[in-house]
Amino acid sequence: MSKIRILSIDGGGIRGILPGVILTRLEYKLQNLVKDDSRRLADYFDFFAGTSTGGILSLSYLIPNKEDRPLLTAQESVNLYLDRGDEIFDVNLWQKLKSAGGIADEKYSADELEEAIEDTFKDIMLKDLLKPCIISSYDVRNGKPHFFKQHKSENEVYNYKVKDVARATSAAPTYFEAARIKNELGTPYALVDGGLFANNPCMVAYSEVRTMKFSGKVDYPTAKDMLIISIGTGSQSKSYTYKKVKDWGQLQWVKPVIEIMMSGNSSTTHYYLTQIFDTLSSKKDKECYHRLEPTVKIADSKMDNASIDNLKALHEDALNYVSTKEVDEELDVIAKKLISSQF
């Protein structure tokens, strides 16, 4: 029985360029192996998971065209960041004054983000996407995680416009205002970025897939039945000296706490998955969890630095990462596994 192939993508703001480039390279390798440049990531994964920027990327890979094939290439998906990132993270003078630099109000207007999402997803509904997926956000009104699940969206209660899902999962506190969206029945939800609790959604994906049936594959799969590819965004919390932080109050801790939660969650989730797969008896099964965590060397790692120069630097960091011998070889291994596990 073939394995369930899972793709999970972390959150990280404009650093979404990094996993976007990695997955563009993976798609290219898959096309070369099968000698078919019409093949897309959605052809080789059974389940997608994403948080924040990773949620937007995951959704973009699953948009159908008129022939029910993926509309966008992986390169076209990452172009959303390269072409429009500087507009999304642009602060006009009024917003800067009103927010006091993000202290008194959200730092950025959501107008450009919403326009970019609208142009990408239009009025596609969650149920129309090509593959099952889970996208994370947090329900501030009810005080609990809120997961968008494509595989349950035939039920109107769980069906949303994809552009609203993208807006909700990327509503990072202090950066963008909370999202207020409605399901197909018109029930409203107040949601913020899922990165606050699941910046690395790989464990969310693993847990969800355990509860699912897959046509032609094993029902309710366990770790030995899964091939998981988890892609990071170079998330790393800054280091702080004791002397600097010991007298901080609420105001000083706001941004560092968000960074620590996001980076800490990504690392902890990787630890959990590594431990789970290490318990498997078969060496082949143990090697079916892959974590690719790119490094930010040239660029500024701030999740909202989308200056033209930093967009180019992030792109260069990503290209340098996928060009290293170790990563290039791992992507070759992943591509071969994805193709062989089709049958």
Side-chain angles (χ1 to χ4, degrees):
M1 189 70 70
S2 58
K3 290 182 181 287
I4 308 302
R5 302 158 298 169
I6 301 165
L7 176 62
S8 173
I9 313 174
D10 288 17
I14 197 61
R15 294 198 312 272
I17 289 170
L18 298 163
V21 170
I22 293 168
L23 289 165
T24 297
R25 183 64 61 92
L26 178 60
E27 185 173 87
Y28 175 74
K29 286 180 177 291
L30 289 164
Q31 291 170 348
N32 278 351
L33 282 172
V34 298
K35 295 179 171 52
D36 183 354
D37 61 8
S38 71
R39 306 303 284 177
R40 301 287 180 261
L41 293 172
D43 294 316
Y44 297 99
F45 287 98
D46 303 298
F47 190 86
F48 289 70
T51 292
S52 193
T53 195
I56 293 175
L57 281 172
S58 294
L59 294 168
S60 72
Y61 300 140
L62 301 176
I63 303 170
N65 63 16
K66 292 179 181 178
E67 289 75 40
D68 236 20
R69 291 284 301 144
L71 177 68
L72 302 178
T73 65
Q75 181 62 62
E76 287 169 334
S77 293
V78 77
N79 284 347
L80 172 66
Y81 298 84
L82 295 170
D83 296 342
R84 305 184 71 161
D86 61 321
E87 298 171 356
I88 292 171
F89 289 101
D90 180 46
V91 190
N92 60 43
L93 180 59
W94 168 241
Q95 186 69 21
K96 189 178 292 186
L97 292 172
K98 183 178 74 167
S99 70
I103 295 173
D105 200 351
E106 66 273 3
K107 188 174 181 180
Y108 301 101
S109 166
D111 292 347
E112 293 293 343
L113 172 62
E114 290 174 354
E115 184 178 321
I117 289 171
E118 169 76 34
D119 291 345
T120 303
F121 299 110
K122 304 188 187 307
D123 287 321
I124 300 168
M125 301 299 292
L126 193 59
K127 68 180 180 181
D128 298 324
L129 295 180
L130 294 169
K131 290 288 179 74
C133 65
I134 189 163
I135 308 297
S136 60
S137 66
Y138 190 83
D139 184 335
V140 293
R141 181 178 179 184
N142 294 303
K144 62 180 183 179
H146 184 98
F147 296 111
F148 298 98
K149 303 179 182 184
Q150 188 276 343
H151 45 293
K152 293 194 173 182
S153 58
E154 288 298 329
N155 185 326
E156 295 171 321
V157 174
Y158 304 113
N159 196 27
Y160 300 79
K161 289 184 177 179
V162 173
K163 64 185 178 184
D164 289 342
V165 177
R167 175 68 178 87
T169 192
S170 58
T174 76
Y175 293 97
F176 297 108
E177 66 182 31
R180 188 176 187 275
I181 68 169
K182 297 179 180 179
N183 63 12
E184 194 174 359
L185 291 176
T187 306
Y189 294 88
L191 305 171
V192 296
D193 195 322
L196 294 175
F197 70 96
N199 196 57
N200 177 346
C202 199
M203 198 67 192
V204 172
Y206 169 80
S207 302
E208 188 66 21
V209 168
R210 287 289 307 266
T211 71
M212 295 174 63
K213 294 182 177 182
F214 290 84
S215 177
K217 299 195 176 189
V218 64
D219 293 338
Y220 312 117
T222 60
K224 67 180 176 60
D225 306 307
M226 301 181 195
L227 170 62
I228 299 180
I229 314 302
S230 176
I231 314 289
T233 59
S235 178
Q236 186 175 2
S237 179
K238 293 179 181 178
S239 61
Y240 302 94
T241 64
Y242 169 73
K243 184 177 180 180
K244 184 172 183 178
V245 305
K246 69 184 182 69
D247 294 320
W248 275 2
Q250 293 181 19
L251 190 62
Q252 293 95 334
W253 271 112
V254 170
K255 285 290 178 67
V257 161
I258 293 174
E259 291 175 359
I260 291 167
M261 284 192 299
M262 292 175 69
S263 177
N265 171 264
S266 292
S267 299
T268 304
T269 298
H270 173 51
Y271 172 79
Y272 293 154
L273 267 297
T274 300
Q275 294 294 96
I276 289 171
F277 276 79
D278 277 350
T279 65
L280 301 180
S281 56
S282 162
K283 183 175 184 292
K284 181 180 177 182
D285 290 338
K286 288 177 186 285
E287 294 174 350
C288 280
Y289 168 64
H290 293 263
R291 172 69 175 175
L292 294 169
E293 181 63 90
T295 51
V296 179
K297 294 182 177 179
I298 300 171
D300 178 359
S301 64
K302 289 178 183 174
M303 61 184 288
D304 63 333
N305 186 345
S307 66
I308 297 297
D309 286 344
N310 206 52
L311 292 176
K312 291 178 180 177
L314 284 166
H315 192 218
E316 186 173 343
D317 274 333
L319 291 174
N320 286 336
Y321 176 74
V322 296
S323 298
T324 62
K325 185 174 183 291
E326 181 183 2
V327 174
D328 185 62
E329 289 176 351
E330 184 165 7
L331 288 173
D332 282 335
V333 169
I334 290 170
K336 289 173 183 176
K337 286 181 180 180
L338 287 169
I339 289 171
S340 65
S341 65
Q342 269 191 298
F343 307 105

